[in-house]
Amino acid sequence: RLHQKKAVKPIPLAQQGAALSMAASGKTFSGAGPDPDGVVGPGRGAHLATSIPPPTLEQDLLRLLANEIRPDFEVVVQGEVIKTHKIILVARCGYFASCLLRSGMEESRSNRLVVDSSTAMTALAFKAFLKYVYAGDEILKDLVPHTAMHLIEATEFYGMTNERLKDFCKDCVTKSFNEAHVLKLYEASCSLDVESVRTM
């Protein structure tokens, strides 16, 4: 008959319990034993072995900054205009959350922050800071001691949501105390009014 029903073999109670436990932990249950690959995740199982690509979130967010894709806020440092995105600044920095979420603040009305020229912040250092704001650890592999000194100040002033960047920068500076870097580090430390920098 065209519509003949197939007999369905019930799963024993013991296997039902195993299936529920594996489902709760995110594993795939096939009724024939554990996944021989030992790999768990979407599209993975005893007969669905696939290659899962690495995450690209950091690179995707950094591309917004590098390519100036639909920016809605400007930061001016040493006369250089750097185009950014409010939503990322607000999510990552307490300073920007405070000034941009309050309609009465000048930065909120003008969609622009001008960094005082009397500060030690440089355009190069601020761009490095923004790269961390957007992409996290992606920039740490290129971190140099002189820039790290400025980033310690930026982390404290702009109120990053955690001190990961600050700790990495302090570690970078501490490990670089040698004749090749001592002059630049001394010059940078003299211009920065941050306790953690002066006491290194």
Side-chain angles (χ1 to χ4, degrees):
R1 293 155 61 182
L2 291 177
H3 301 289
Q4 183 176 5
K5 293 183 179 180
K6 292 184 179 180
V8 178
K9 184 179 179 180
I11 299 175
L13 290 177
Q15 289 190 1
Q16 290 181 25
L20 290 173
S21 298
M22 294 179 73
S25 63
K27 296 182 179 180
T28 302
F29 179 77
S30 65
D35 184 350
D37 295 331
V39 182
V40 180
R44 303 309 296 260
H47 308 294
L48 295 174
T50 58
S51 176
I52 300 178
T56 62
L57 178 60
E58 294 87 353
Q59 294 88 340
D60 293 339
L61 291 177
L62 194 56
R63 190 167 60 252
L64 292 176
L65 178 67
N67 296 344
E68 298 183 356
I69 300 174
R70 301 296 294 273
D72 55 7
F73 190 76
E74 296 178 346
V75 180
V76 183
V77 188
Q78 293 184 317
E80 182 173 347
V81 178
I82 306 170
K83 298 182 182 298
T84 64
H85 304 80
K86 290 180 183 178
I87 190 169
I88 294 179
L89 298 180
V90 167
R92 298 279 279 159
C93 305
Y95 174 88
F96 288 108
S98 177
C99 69
L100 293 179
L101 296 180
R102 295 178 182 174
S103 58
M105 299 290 285
E106 172 61 26
E107 293 83 359
S108 177
R109 295 196 305 269
S110 65
N111 292 323
R112 166 180 277 222
L113 167 68
V114 179
V115 177
D116 195 324
S117 59
S118 65
T119 68
M121 178 58 68
T122 66
L124 183 64
F126 196 82
K127 286 179 181 178
F129 173 69
L130 283 177
K131 286 181 179 178
Y132 183 82
V133 169
Y134 276 71
D137 292 359
E138 184 73 12
I139 70 147
L140 297 179
K141 60 181 180 294
D142 301 321
L143 193 62
V144 295
H146 185 255
T147 301
M149 297 284 280
H150 290 279
L151 296 188
I152 293 173
E153 180 190 32
T155 299
E156 295 187 356
F157 182 82
Y158 292 106
M160 290 293 296
T161 53
N162 64 61
E163 296 192 344
R164 184 174 176 81
L165 176 60
K166 179 181 176 181
D167 290 342
F168 267 108
C169 289
K170 290 173 69 173
D171 187 59
C172 174
V173 172
T174 302
K175 289 180 178 178
S176 67
F177 284 146
N178 56 52
E179 293 181 1
H181 294 125
V182 67
L183 182 58
K184 285 186 176 181
L185 293 176
Y186 176 75
E187 290 175 346
S189 65
C190 288
S191 64
L192 298 173
D193 187 25
V194 178
E195 182 65 25
S196 60
V197 173
R198 293 197 306 268
T199 57
M200 280 187 179

